[in-house]
Amino acid sequence: MKIDLVTIFPRLCLAPLSESIVGRARENGLVEIAAHDLRDWTHDRHRQVDDVPYGGGPGMVMKPQPFFEAVRDLKRDSPGARVLLMTPQGRPFRQEDARRLSREEHLILLCGHYEGVDHRVVEALADEEISIGDYVLTNGSLAAAVVTDAIVRLLPGVLGDDASSEVESFSEPAEGGPPLLEAPHYTRPAEFEGMAVPEVLLSGHHARIEAWRREKALERTRAIRPDLLAEKPPTRQG
Ligand code: ADE
């Protein structure tokens, strides 16, 4: 898989994708990630990527032209590449999106900044607008790194053979029920500062352990994320 990030902060985008699991995946050739400076597609002396908003109002708006030229260039060898615009105005990014996008061959992530991007980028360039949550970051570069990380760890060979990505929070449980938060995890020692590990986990009784984990997962989901137990939102059309 190839992922192109288009941003005015290429180093900020790339830093979190250069360590640990994603860094190793890149070194091992499991994914090719490139961060491009949007200013490379400007043509003026000041390499300006923003301008004042039509109709007035505070802040600046990112110009359409550098984004259009960037995408045209990056799509040259793969016209079918999927273009994602990172914006707090987008649809919330979920695990099922990470899974769906991990099956693409080529993704182009566009990072907004300032008050927003010219709406022609949204309408004519982006296949989807993605938000990583209901809060506003200073720019989309960190959001692009988050989305990239969530996708890359699902690529074949990236996490190794223990298949831990299949049994974690937000993945579908085996029986096909709703996604749940994970049951609590513990490691040694069995007692720490007066707090004991639940007895069942020391029992070696796999069926009882499974039942306990299922019950705790439901309990935690009810308490912390009751929305996950409500009806599933419609899946993204594309
Ligand atoms: N840019 C700024 N805030 C963002 C968010 N929450 N998600 C995606 N891109 C953003």
Side-chain angles (χ1 to χ4, degrees):
M1 169 184 256
K2 184 173 179 191
I3 303 179
D4 284 306
L5 309 160
V6 179
T7 166
I8 55 172
F9 300 114
R11 279 177 304 154
L12 180 64
C13 252
L14 227 39
L17 302 171
S18 303
E19 308 271 340
S20 184
I21 291 170
V22 178
R24 267 197 307 280
R26 292 171 65 199
E27 281 164 24
N28 294 337
L30 299 172
V31 61
E32 187 187 331
I33 300 176
H36 307 274
D37 190 339
L38 180 66
R39 295 187 198 278
D40 290 346
W41 283 281
T42 57
H43 300 293
D44 63 305
R45 218 157 50 86
H46 301 290
R47 292 161 57 87
Q48 197 175 338
V49 290
D50 60 337
D51 209 336
V52 293
Y54 273 118
M60 300 287 271
V61 174
M62 292 186 85
K63 288 145 57 99
Q65 168 268 321
F67 280 120
F68 273 76
E69 287 191 29
V71 169
R72 196 184 57 207
D73 283 353
L74 295 171
K75 273 191 166 183
R76 192 152 285 145
D77 294 331
S78 55
R82 193 156 185 85
V83 178
L84 317 177
L85 176 66
M86 307 312 303
T87 163
Q89 322 287 332
R91 285 222 240 173
F93 184 68
R94 299 169 62 97
Q95 186 65 19
E96 69 209 41
D97 298 307
R99 206 162 282 286
R100 172 176 60 84
L101 293 168
S102 73
R103 293 192 275 264
E104 295 283 338
E105 262 176 42
H106 185 190
L107 297 172
I108 300 173
L109 276 62
L110 308 179
C111 305
H113 192 45
Y114 310 115
E115 284 304 300
V117 302
D118 186 288
H119 202 64
R120 289 164 287 196
V121 172
V122 175
E123 292 204 308
L125 212 51
D127 294 308
E128 47 193 288
E129 298 169 83
I130 291 185
S131 164
I132 62 160
D134 290 339
Y135 42 81
V136 183
L137 303 165
T138 53
N139 66 86
S141 303
L142 290 173
V146 166
V147 166
T148 300
D149 183 288
I151 292 169
V152 169
R153 66 186 285 285
L154 296 175
L155 297 178
V158 169
L159 284 189
D161 293 336
D162 74 352
S164 58
S165 75
E166 294 300 327
V167 292
E168 67 208 337
S169 303
F170 306 122
S171 287
E172 294 290 334
E175 315 88 88
L180 301 174
L181 299 187
E182 283 185 39
H185 302 289
Y186 297 89
T187 186
R188 286 179 286 192
E191 190 178 320
F192 175 71
E193 298 200 348
M195 295 173 283
V197 171
E199 192 60 42
V200 59
L201 295 179
L202 313 177
S203 70
H205 195 300
H206 293 298
R208 272 181 57 213
I209 291 172
E210 255 338 286
W212 179 86
R213 285 191 170 142
R214 179 86 192 150
E215 184 193 314
K216 290 292 166 191
L218 260 171
E219 206 175 287
R220 282 179 59 77
T221 307
R222 254 187 231 116
I224 298 167
R225 292 292 306 275
D227 56 299
L228 292 178
L229 295 170
E231 224 187 311
K232 280 188 93 172
T235 36
R236 189 167 286 169
Q237 291 305 309

